[in-house]
Amino acid sequence: MRLITSVIAAITLLPALCLAAAQPAQDACREAFQTNMVEAALAACEPLAEQGDGEAAFLAARTYSLHFDDFQSQANALKWLKVARQAGLAEAGYYLGLAYQHGQGTYIDLDKAIDAYRFSANRNNPHAQRNLGMLYKEGNGVPRDGAKAFELISRSAKAGIIDSQLTAGVMLLRGEGVEKDERLGHSWIKQAAVAGNQDAQLALGIMYSDLDIEASINWYEQAAAQDNPYALYHLAILYLKGLRVPQDLQKAREYARHSAELGHLSSSTLLQSIDERLAQISPEERAAKAEAEAAKPVLTDKLKSELIPQPKHTPKTKVVIKTTTPPKPAKPAAAPKPPKPAKPAKPAKPATPPKVTVAVASPPVEKTQEKAAKKAPEATAKVSTKNLTSGKRLTSISKPAPVAAPQTVSGLQSLEWILLQPGKEYLTQLVQLATLEQVDAYIRQHKLAGKVIYFPARTQLGDVYIVLFRTGVTRIKKARIISRKALPASLVDSAWIRPFNSLQKAVGPAQ
């Protein structure tokens, strides 16, 4: 009887003992994956995956996908994704759907892709909702169903997926699968554009072209700064024809050339047409136009007052100027006529200037100028932040000497700091917000204190703060891994991972 009782007790405790034994192995699997220790991750995760551990299977699958490109590794990833999906992981269903839709480690099978996406979408995975919605929108593998497509895509958009916001906005503008609502559609598209989606920026450029040409050009230039060939083409057309903007053939040529280099065929034809127009302009006319452009002030008076340090007010001083060749007094006229006033001395020629003795009350002019000259190099560089996110390059900047970037930097930074960062290093651009209060709330909400950097930008649509995460690496795949490790996955999925030189190109000074 006592033996039977002991056996029953042992059987009762067995699940708890197994769980306790598995816990260190699960921790080792998770830690190796998060620290990019590829061999250690596979060694720790695959044995657990063999036992049906869903998280370990998913981490093994992602390790193969992120670090290997050969077909066998993709097949291994597919195998472990099936195990993870069987364990109920919604994200595994999304990646499994991608594998079947695009033939990664297997043949293309839309039926299996749709089944995997539906499994994940029903568990509120926004990426699966977007992909499944697009299949319904296009009638690809399923009957075309605009209402079902909009339902899925709008759920994804509300979850923060940027390209879903653009698609939902366009569907609302067209009344595709939903009642037409231009105001709400414009709102969704603008939200995607502000987040950095170049297709949304292009769409706004087209939408504003007949309403507000400055806003239209602003959005075109934001997309052009991301090398969008269509935005570059539209800008070339605007400046070639002088459509509500001054005609500028040189600017039109530059936009057309850039677009053509990116493979836009119509821009190649347009570039040839612009070159023919330029060839008809005489060298004299071209030189006169260039001289007129050069004579234009770089900054407006208002911007100068905001950006250029103003000298402190000093009390006016009387200056007595004595020359070695004073003017001769006029001869007195016959009475009763008053005497003629003295004629002013003619200004001396530059080659032989007259000697001048300057007597100054206080402070001395020469010493004041000398002190100002000494202080000038120490003045902090002032930069115009106008159109920071519009793609317009700044026209004037005094760059300080490069300095080594600190190892750990967070919080509010200046534009100068952005310009001094290594151009090949990748950053993760998270969001643009209107006020510091919104930035603080965003950081608190997502627990980003000490992790992110933000800096102010002045655009034609108002002042914003751009929030970014610095990765410290020069490979986009590693940057994505580091970002996923340090930031919430929901933010990284909708973020824009780009090199610093991409940002610097948009905001740096014109060469």
Side-chain angles (χ1 to χ4, degrees):
M1 184 67 179
R2 186 176 297 173
L3 178 61
I4 294 174
T5 304
S6 300
V7 170
I8 294 173
I11 293 173
T12 304
L13 292 173
L14 187 60
L17 292 172
C18 293
L19 181 62
Q23 190 62 44
Q26 290 173 334
D27 291 341
C29 165
R30 194 178 300 114
E31 182 179 356
F33 175 80
Q34 292 173 347
T35 54
N36 297 318
M37 299 173 64
V38 178
E39 294 182 3
L42 294 177
C45 296
E46 287 191 297
L48 293 173
E50 293 282 3
Q51 300 171 25
D53 187 308
E55 182 186 8
F58 180 74
L59 295 180
R62 297 302 295 148
T63 299
Y64 277 116
S65 296
L66 291 170
H67 299 284
F68 301 97
D69 296 327
D70 59 286
F71 181 82
Q72 184 57 52
S73 295
Q74 293 176 353
N76 290 338
L78 184 73
K79 177 181 74 173
W80 295 130
L81 284 174
K82 291 178 181 178
V83 174
R85 177 195 168 179
Q86 188 68 29
L89 270 70
E91 197 168 7
Y94 163 66
Y95 283 107
L96 193 60
L98 282 178
Y100 281 120
Q101 184 178 0
H102 301 290
Q104 298 170 351
T106 182
Y107 53 88
I108 293 176
D109 190 328
L110 277 181
D111 289 338
K112 290 183 178 180
I114 292 166
D115 181 64
Y117 283 146
R118 188 175 287 121
F119 165 87
S120 187
N122 290 339
R123 287 161 176 77
N124 295 319
N125 183 282
H127 294 92
Q129 290 168 347
R130 173 199 60 197
N131 287 18
L132 184 59
M134 291 303 296
L135 291 176
Y136 276 109
K137 182 177 183 293
E138 298 164 359
N140 188 8
V142 289
R144 188 188 299 271
D145 189 333
K148 184 68 174 177
F150 182 78
E151 176 200 346
L152 288 163
I153 292 170
S154 61
R155 286 168 61 190
S156 175
K158 292 174 183 177
I161 305 303
I162 296 173
D163 49 351
S164 294
Q165 294 169 353
L166 170 60
T167 305
V170 172
M171 293 180 77
L172 282 161
L173 288 178
R174 295 174 176 172
E176 183 180 352
V178 64
E179 186 177 350
K180 190 173 183 179
D181 189 332
E182 293 185 357
R183 183 194 62 79
L184 183 57
H186 175 269
S187 176
W188 275 122
I189 294 173
K190 188 173 182 179
Q191 189 169 335
V194 170
N197 184 288
Q198 58 176 275
D199 293 325
Q201 292 164 352
L202 173 64
L204 285 182
I206 296 171
M207 290 166 62
Y208 278 114
S209 59
D210 293 328
L211 303 173
D212 186 339
I213 192 61
E214 289 187 4
S216 175
I217 291 174
N218 172 62
W219 288 116
Y220 279 143
E221 287 179 338
Q222 289 197 47
Q226 299 185 61
D227 292 336
N228 186 294
Y230 303 98
L232 289 161
Y233 176 75
H234 279 284
L235 286 168
I237 291 291
L238 280 174
Y239 285 105
L240 171 63
K241 296 185 177 180
L243 300 175
R244 298 179 299 284
V245 294
Q247 187 184 54
D248 190 329
L249 295 182
Q250 290 293 348
K251 188 176 287 189
R253 187 188 188 283
E254 181 61 22
Y255 283 128
R257 180 196 61 77
H258 192 178
S259 180
E261 288 178 351
L262 293 169
H264 192 263
L265 297 179
S266 297
S267 292
S268 299
T269 305
L270 181 64
L271 180 61
Q272 183 178 355
S273 174
I274 295 171
D275 284 337
E276 291 173 356
R277 292 275 298 275
L278 286 170
Q280 296 172 1
I281 301 176
S282 67
E284 293 78 10
E285 291 176 324
R286 199 174 304 166
K289 187 174 181 180
E291 186 176 348
E293 286 293 325
K296 290 181 180 179
V298 175
L299 299 173
T300 65
D301 291 337
K302 181 180 178 182
L303 282 178
K304 284 181 179 179
S305 65
E306 293 176 356
L307 304 176
I308 299 177
Q310 300 297 317
K312 294 182 179 180
H313 178 73
T314 56
K316 294 182 179 180
T317 58
K318 294 182 179 180
V319 180
V320 180
I321 302 178
K322 297 179 181 179
T323 64
T324 56
T325 57
K328 296 179 180 180
K331 294 180 180 180
K337 292 183 180 180
K340 292 182 180 180
K343 293 182 180 180
K346 294 182 179 180
K349 295 181 180 180
T352 57
K355 295 182 179 180
V356 179
T357 303
V358 181
V360 184
S362 174
V365 174
E366 293 178 352
K367 289 185 177 180
T368 304
Q369 293 175 343
E370 182 178 351
K371 287 181 180 180
K374 289 181 179 179
K375 289 183 179 180
E378 299 174 4
T380 304
K382 295 293 180 180
V383 184
S384 169
T385 57
K386 184 174 178 67
N387 296 323
L388 181 60
T389 58
S390 69
K392 289 185 179 179
R393 294 189 175 184
L394 301 175
T395 55
S396 177
I397 179 174
S398 174
K399 290 184 83 173
V403 294
Q407 293 298 313
T408 304
V409 179
S410 63
L412 181 63
Q413 301 298 324
S414 66
L415 179 61
E416 290 92 331
W417 187 91
I418 295 294
L419 294 173
L420 290 172
Q421 301 317 299
K424 294 183 179 180
E425 179 184 324
Y426 276 87
L427 61 94
T428 301
Q429 184 170 319
L430 297 172
V431 71
Q432 297 182 44
L433 300 168
T435 65
L436 281 174
E437 289 76 14
Q438 291 179 354
V439 172
D440 291 337
Y442 180 84
I443 291 174
R444 287 196 304 272
Q445 177 187 354
H446 299 288
K447 299 179 181 179
L448 299 175
K451 295 182 180 180
V452 295
I453 294 160
Y454 49 96
F455 66 99
R458 180 174 299 166
T459 72
Q460 291 181 346
L461 298 179
D463 293 344
V464 298
Y465 288 88
I466 299 178
V467 182
L468 60 90
F469 170 74
R470 183 177 179 180
T471 66
V473 297
T474 58
R475 293 180 61 188
I476 190 169
K477 185 176 286 188
K478 287 188 176 180
R480 185 171 285 109
I481 293 170
I482 292 171
S483 298
R484 286 187 178 278
K485 175 185 173 183
L487 306 172
S490 59
L491 299 184
V492 179
D493 289 338
S494 59
W496 178 16
I497 298 180
R498 62 190 299 196
F500 264 106
N501 58 21
S502 170
L503 184 61
Q504 291 163 347
K505 181 180 178 182
V507 304
Q511 300 298 323

